[in-house]
PDB file of all heavy atoms in Angstrom:
ATOM      1  N   LYS A 106     -15.157 -16.724   6.951  1.00 95.00           N
ATOM      2  CA  LYS A 106     -15.902 -16.186   8.091  1.00 95.00           C
ATOM      3  C   LYS A 106     -15.092 -15.070   8.779  1.00 95.00           C
ATOM      4  O   LYS A 106     -15.632 -14.019   9.123  1.00 95.00           O
ATOM      5  CB  LYS A 106     -16.214 -17.313   9.074  1.00 95.00           C
ATOM      6  CG  LYS A 106     -17.113 -16.924  10.221  1.00 95.00           C
ATOM      7  CD  LYS A 106     -17.393 -18.110  11.119  1.00 95.00           C
ATOM      8  CE  LYS A 106     -18.170 -17.686  12.346  1.00 95.00           C
ATOM      9  NZ  LYS A 106     -18.329 -18.787  13.290  1.00 95.00           N
ATOM     10  N   ASP A 107     -13.788 -15.304   8.950  1.00 96.00           N
ATOM     11  CA  ASP A 107     -12.918 -14.292   9.554  1.00 96.00           C
ATOM     12  C   ASP A 107     -12.824 -13.054   8.672  1.00 96.00           C
ATOM     13  O   ASP A 107     -12.775 -11.927   9.154  1.00 96.00           O
ATOM     14  CB  ASP A 107     -11.513 -14.860   9.795  1.00 96.00           C
ATOM     15  CG  ASP A 107     -11.496 -15.907  10.902  1.00 96.00           C
ATOM     16  OD1 ASP A 107     -12.106 -15.668  11.951  1.00 96.00           O
ATOM     17  OD2 ASP A 107     -10.861 -16.967  10.702  1.00 96.00           O
ATOM     18  N   ARG A 108     -12.788 -13.280   7.362  1.00 95.00           N
ATOM     19  CA  ARG A 108     -12.718 -12.177   6.410  1.00 95.00           C
ATOM     20  C   ARG A 108     -13.985 -11.319   6.511  1.00 95.00           C
ATOM     21  O   ARG A 108     -13.909 -10.092   6.560  1.00 95.00           O
ATOM     22  CB  ARG A 108     -12.547 -12.739   4.991  1.00 95.00           C
ATOM     23  CG  ARG A 108     -12.192 -11.690   3.965  1.00 95.00           C
ATOM     24  CD  ARG A 108     -11.825 -12.320   2.642  1.00 95.00           C
ATOM     25  NE  ARG A 108     -13.004 -12.858   1.962  1.00 95.00           N
ATOM     26  CZ  ARG A 108     -12.947 -13.613   0.880  1.00 95.00           C
ATOM     27  NH1 ARG A 108     -11.779 -13.958   0.370  1.00 95.00           N
ATOM     28  NH2 ARG A 108     -14.043 -14.046   0.313  1.00 95.00           N
ATOM     29  N   VAL A 109     -15.135 -11.983   6.576  1.00 96.00           N
ATOM     30  CA  VAL A 109     -16.407 -11.270   6.708  1.00 96.00           C
ATOM     31  C   VAL A 109     -16.428 -10.451   8.004  1.00 96.00           C
ATOM     32  O   VAL A 109     -16.798  -9.280   7.997  1.00 96.00           O
ATOM     33  CB  VAL A 109     -17.614 -12.251   6.652  1.00 96.00           C
ATOM     34  CG1 VAL A 109     -18.893 -11.576   7.098  1.00 96.00           C
ATOM     35  CG2 VAL A 109     -17.765 -12.820   5.248  1.00 96.00           C
ATOM     36  N   LYS A 110     -16.006 -11.067   9.107  1.00 96.00           N
ATOM     37  CA  LYS A 110     -15.970 -10.354  10.404  1.00 96.00           C
ATOM     38  C   LYS A 110     -15.086  -9.110  10.317  1.00 96.00           C
ATOM     39  O   LYS A 110     -15.426  -8.062  10.850  1.00 96.00           O
ATOM     40  CB  LYS A 110     -15.440 -11.271  11.512  1.00 96.00           C
ATOM     41  CG  LYS A 110     -16.461 -12.192  12.091  1.00 96.00           C
ATOM     42  CD  LYS A 110     -15.848 -12.990  13.236  1.00 96.00           C
ATOM     43  CE  LYS A 110     -16.814 -14.025  13.771  1.00 96.00           C
ATOM     44  NZ  LYS A 110     -16.173 -14.897  14.766  1.00 96.00           N
ATOM     45  N   HIS A 111     -13.950  -9.255   9.652  1.00 96.00           N
ATOM     46  CA  HIS A 111     -13.010  -8.145   9.480  1.00 96.00           C
ATOM     47  C   HIS A 111     -13.703  -6.973   8.770  1.00 96.00           C
ATOM     48  O   HIS A 111     -13.616  -5.824   9.209  1.00 96.00           O
ATOM     49  CB  HIS A 111     -11.788  -8.621   8.690  1.00 96.00           C
ATOM     50  CG  HIS A 111     -10.867  -7.525   8.284  1.00 96.00           C
ATOM     51  ND1 HIS A 111     -10.004  -6.914   9.167  1.00 96.00           N
ATOM     52  CD2 HIS A 111     -10.670  -6.917   7.077  1.00 96.00           C
ATOM     53  CE1 HIS A 111      -9.317  -5.973   8.528  1.00 96.00           C
ATOM     54  NE2 HIS A 111      -9.697  -5.960   7.258  1.00 96.00           N
ATOM     55  N   PHE A 112     -14.396  -7.262   7.675  1.00 96.00           N
ATOM     56  CA  PHE A 112     -15.037  -6.196   6.910  1.00 96.00           C
ATOM     57  C   PHE A 112     -16.285  -5.640   7.607  1.00 96.00           C
ATOM     58  O   PHE A 112     -16.616  -4.474   7.442  1.00 96.00           O
ATOM     59  CB  PHE A 112     -15.312  -6.641   5.473  1.00 96.00           C
ATOM     60  CG  PHE A 112     -14.038  -6.790   4.685  1.00 96.00           C
ATOM     61  CD1 PHE A 112     -13.624  -8.026   4.234  1.00 96.00           C
ATOM     62  CD2 PHE A 112     -13.236  -5.686   4.433  1.00 96.00           C
ATOM     63  CE1 PHE A 112     -12.428  -8.159   3.529  1.00 96.00           C
ATOM     64  CE2 PHE A 112     -12.037  -5.804   3.737  1.00 96.00           C
ATOM     65  CZ  PHE A 112     -11.633  -7.050   3.288  1.00 96.00           C
ATOM     66  N   GLN A 113     -16.955  -6.467   8.414  1.00 96.00           N
ATOM     67  CA  GLN A 113     -18.078  -5.956   9.210  1.00 96.00           C
ATOM     68  C   GLN A 113     -17.576  -4.936  10.230  1.00 96.00           C
ATOM     69  O   GLN A 113     -18.242  -3.938  10.492  1.00 96.00           O
ATOM     70  CB  GLN A 113     -18.806  -7.103   9.920  1.00 96.00           C
ATOM     71  CG  GLN A 113     -19.683  -7.894   8.975  1.00 96.00           C
ATOM     72  CD  GLN A 113     -20.248  -9.164   9.588  1.00 96.00           C
ATOM     73  OE1 GLN A 113     -19.638  -9.796  10.449  1.00 96.00           O
ATOM     74  NE2 GLN A 113     -21.424  -9.560   9.118  1.00 96.00           N
ATOM     75  N   LYS A 114     -16.388  -5.188  10.781  1.00 95.00           N
ATOM     76  CA  LYS A 114     -15.784  -4.265  11.746  1.00 95.00           C
ATOM     77  C   LYS A 114     -15.437  -2.945  11.056  1.00 95.00           C
ATOM     78  O   LYS A 114     -15.706  -1.866  11.576  1.00 95.00           O
ATOM     79  CB  LYS A 114     -14.536  -4.909  12.361  1.00 95.00           C
ATOM     80  CG  LYS A 114     -13.956  -4.151  13.517  1.00 95.00           C
ATOM     81  CD  LYS A 114     -12.740  -4.884  14.098  1.00 95.00           C
ATOM     82  CE  LYS A 114     -11.662  -3.880  14.373  1.00 95.00           C
ATOM     83  NZ  LYS A 114     -10.391  -4.151  13.791  1.00 95.00           N
ATOM     84  N   ILE A 115     -14.859  -3.026   9.864  1.00 95.00           N
ATOM     85  CA  ILE A 115     -14.490  -1.815   9.122  1.00 95.00           C
ATOM     86  C   ILE A 115     -15.732  -1.018   8.724  1.00 95.00           C
ATOM     87  O   ILE A 115     -15.705   0.208   8.707  1.00 95.00           O
ATOM     88  CB  ILE A 115     -13.616  -2.153   7.894  1.00 95.00           C
ATOM     89  CG1 ILE A 115     -12.269  -2.686   8.371  1.00 95.00           C
ATOM     90  CG2 ILE A 115     -13.425  -0.934   6.991  1.00 95.00           C
ATOM     91  CD1 ILE A 115     -11.353  -3.169   7.276  1.00 95.00           C
ATOM     92  N   LEU A 116     -16.810  -1.711   8.450  1.00 94.00           N
ATOM     93  CA  LEU A 116     -18.074  -1.047   8.103  1.00 94.00           C
ATOM     94  C   LEU A 116     -18.519  -0.086   9.209  1.00 94.00           C
ATOM     95  O   LEU A 116     -19.135   0.937   8.942  1.00 94.00           O
ATOM     96  CB  LEU A 116     -19.156  -2.112   7.839  1.00 94.00           C
ATOM     97  CG  LEU A 116     -20.498  -1.655   7.321  1.00 94.00           C
ATOM     98  CD1 LEU A 116     -20.374  -0.878   6.021  1.00 94.00           C
ATOM     99  CD2 LEU A 116     -21.411  -2.853   7.119  1.00 94.00           C
ATOM    100  N   LYS A 117     -18.166  -0.408  10.448  1.00 93.00           N
ATOM    101  CA  LYS A 117     -18.551   0.434  11.599  1.00 93.00           C
ATOM    102  C   LYS A 117     -17.476   1.466  11.946  1.00 93.00           C
ATOM    103  O   LYS A 117     -17.630   2.229  12.883  1.00 93.00           O
ATOM    104  CB  LYS A 117     -18.801  -0.456  12.819  1.00 93.00           C
ATOM    105  CG  LYS A 117     -19.970  -1.393  12.633  1.00 93.00           C
ATOM    106  CD  LYS A 117     -20.102  -2.341  13.799  1.00 93.00           C
ATOM    107  CE  LYS A 117     -21.185  -3.367  13.523  1.00 93.00           C
ATOM    108  NZ  LYS A 117     -21.025  -4.571  14.293  1.00 93.00           N
ATOM    109  N   SER A 118     -16.386   1.476  11.193  1.00 92.00           N
ATOM    110  CA  SER A 118     -15.246   2.341  11.503  1.00 92.00           C
ATOM    111  C   SER A 118     -15.407   3.738  10.910  1.00 92.00           C
ATOM    112  O   SER A 118     -16.002   3.911   9.863  1.00 92.00           O
ATOM    113  CB  SER A 118     -13.968   1.700  10.956  1.00 92.00           C
ATOM    114  OG  SER A 118     -12.890   2.596  11.025  1.00 92.00           O
ATOM    115  N   VAL A 119     -14.824   4.732  11.595  1.00 93.00           N
ATOM    116  CA  VAL A 119     -14.809   6.098  11.059  1.00 93.00           C
ATOM    117  C   VAL A 119     -13.493   6.386  10.335  1.00 93.00           C
ATOM    118  O   VAL A 119     -13.282   7.483   9.838  1.00 93.00           O
ATOM    119  CB  VAL A 119     -15.032   7.168  12.163  1.00 93.00           C
ATOM    120  CG1 VAL A 119     -16.419   7.055  12.753  1.00 93.00           C
ATOM    121  CG2 VAL A 119     -13.960   7.102  13.231  1.00 93.00           C
ATOM    122  N   ASP A 120     -12.615   5.389  10.256  1.00 93.00           N
ATOM    123  CA  ASP A 120     -11.309   5.565   9.624  1.00 93.00           C
ATOM    124  C   ASP A 120     -11.458   5.481   8.106  1.00 93.00           C
ATOM    125  O   ASP A 120     -11.692   4.418   7.547  1.00 93.00           O
ATOM    126  CB  ASP A 120     -10.349   4.495  10.147  1.00 93.00           C
ATOM    127  CG  ASP A 120      -8.930   4.676   9.647  1.00 93.00           C
ATOM    128  OD1 ASP A 120      -8.750   5.145   8.498  1.00 93.00           O
ATOM    129  OD2 ASP A 120      -7.997   4.335  10.392  1.00 93.00           O
ATOM    130  N   LEU A 121     -11.301   6.614   7.448  1.00 93.00           N
ATOM    131  CA  LEU A 121     -11.509   6.684   6.004  1.00 93.00           C
ATOM    132  C   LEU A 121     -10.476   5.873   5.229  1.00 93.00           C
ATOM    133  O   LEU A 121     -10.815   5.200   4.251  1.00 93.00           O
ATOM    134  CB  LEU A 121     -11.499   8.142   5.534  1.00 93.00           C
ATOM    135  CG  LEU A 121     -11.821   8.356   4.063  1.00 93.00           C
ATOM    136  CD1 LEU A 121     -13.234   7.886   3.740  1.00 93.00           C
ATOM    137  CD2 LEU A 121     -11.641   9.796   3.683  1.00 93.00           C
ATOM    138  N   GLU A 122      -9.236   5.914   5.646  1.00 92.00           N
ATOM    139  CA  GLU A 122      -8.181   5.158   4.964  1.00 92.00           C
ATOM    140  C   GLU A 122      -8.515   3.669   4.984  1.00 92.00           C
ATOM    141  O   GLU A 122      -8.398   2.978   3.973  1.00 92.00           O
ATOM    142  CB  GLU A 122      -6.833   5.405   5.644  1.00 92.00           C
ATOM    143  CG  GLU A 122      -5.693   4.677   4.976  1.00 92.00           C
ATOM    144  CD  GLU A 122      -4.338   4.928   5.631  1.00 92.00           C
ATOM    145  OE1 GLU A 122      -4.287   5.557   6.697  1.00 92.00           O
ATOM    146  OE2 GLU A 122      -3.340   4.467   5.059  1.00 92.00           O
ATOM    147  N   GLU A 123      -8.953   3.189   6.143  1.00 93.00           N
ATOM    148  CA  GLU A 123      -9.335   1.779   6.305  1.00 93.00           C
ATOM    149  C   GLU A 123     -10.519   1.437   5.393  1.00 93.00           C
ATOM    150  O   GLU A 123     -10.544   0.382   4.756  1.00 93.00           O
ATOM    151  CB  GLU A 123      -9.701   1.570   7.779  1.00 93.00           C
ATOM    152  CG  GLU A 123      -9.617   0.182   8.278  1.00 93.00           C
ATOM    153  CD  GLU A 123      -9.864   0.078   9.779  1.00 93.00           C
ATOM    154  OE1 GLU A 123     -10.812   0.705  10.310  1.00 93.00           O
ATOM    155  OE2 GLU A 123      -9.114  -0.658  10.418  1.00 93.00           O
ATOM    156  N   THR A 124     -11.481   2.322   5.336  1.00 95.00           N
ATOM    157  CA  THR A 124     -12.676   2.111   4.510  1.00 95.00           C
ATOM    158  C   THR A 124     -12.319   2.056   3.027  1.00 95.00           C
ATOM    159  O   THR A 124     -12.770   1.158   2.308  1.00 95.00           O
ATOM    160  CB  THR A 124     -13.723   3.221   4.769  1.00 95.00           C
ATOM    161  OG1 THR A 124     -14.092   3.176   6.149  1.00 95.00           O
ATOM    162  CG2 THR A 124     -14.961   3.038   3.912  1.00 95.00           C
ATOM    163  N   ILE A 125     -11.516   3.010   2.573  1.00 94.00           N
ATOM    164  CA  ILE A 125     -11.138   3.033   1.153  1.00 94.00           C
ATOM    165  C   ILE A 125     -10.332   1.785   0.801  1.00 94.00           C
ATOM    166  O   ILE A 125     -10.554   1.168  -0.241  1.00 94.00           O
ATOM    167  CB  ILE A 125     -10.395   4.337   0.807  1.00 94.00           C
ATOM    168  CG1 ILE A 125     -11.415   5.479   0.796  1.00 94.00           C
ATOM    169  CG2 ILE A 125      -9.667   4.232  -0.528  1.00 94.00           C
ATOM    170  CD1 ILE A 125     -10.849   6.848   0.571  1.00 94.00           C
ATOM    171  N   ASN A 126      -9.424   1.386   1.687  1.00 94.00           N
ATOM    172  CA  ASN A 126      -8.655   0.168   1.442  1.00 94.00           C
ATOM    173  C   ASN A 126      -9.589  -1.044   1.350  1.00 94.00           C
ATOM    174  O   ASN A 126      -9.449  -1.883   0.472  1.00 94.00           O
ATOM    175  CB  ASN A 126      -7.599  -0.046   2.530  1.00 94.00           C
ATOM    176  CG  ASN A 126      -6.640  -1.152   2.166  1.00 94.00           C
ATOM    177  OD1 ASN A 126      -5.838  -1.020   1.247  1.00 94.00           O
ATOM    178  ND2 ASN A 126      -6.745  -2.266   2.866  1.00 94.00           N
ATOM    179  N   ALA A 127     -10.564  -1.117   2.273  1.00 95.00           N
ATOM    180  CA  ALA A 127     -11.521  -2.240   2.286  1.00 95.00           C
ATOM    181  C   ALA A 127     -12.357  -2.253   1.001  1.00 95.00           C
ATOM    182  O   ALA A 127     -12.607  -3.321   0.435  1.00 95.00           O
ATOM    183  CB  ALA A 127     -12.424  -2.147   3.508  1.00 95.00           C
ATOM    184  N   LEU A 128     -12.777  -1.077   0.545  1.00 95.00           N
ATOM    185  CA  LEU A 128     -13.557  -0.999  -0.701  1.00 95.00           C
ATOM    186  C   LEU A 128     -12.745  -1.531  -1.878  1.00 95.00           C
ATOM    187  O   LEU A 128     -13.257  -2.315  -2.687  1.00 95.00           O
ATOM    188  CB  LEU A 128     -13.989   0.445  -0.974  1.00 95.00           C
ATOM    189  CG  LEU A 128     -15.192   0.936  -0.180  1.00 95.00           C
ATOM    190  CD1 LEU A 128     -15.323   2.448  -0.277  1.00 95.00           C
ATOM    191  CD2 LEU A 128     -16.469   0.249  -0.640  1.00 95.00           C
TER     192      LEU A 128
END
Side-chain angles (χ1 to χ4, degrees):
K106 187 179 174 186
D107 290 315
R108 191 171 72 189
V109 167
K110 278 183 185 173
H111 171 76
F112 290 114
Q113 284 171 329
K114 189 178 137 234
I115 293 175
L116 186 57
K117 296 175 186 157
S118 170
V119 294
D120 185 327
L121 185 63
E122 181 179 8
E123 202 174 45
T124 300
I125 287 176
N126 190 69
L128 281 166

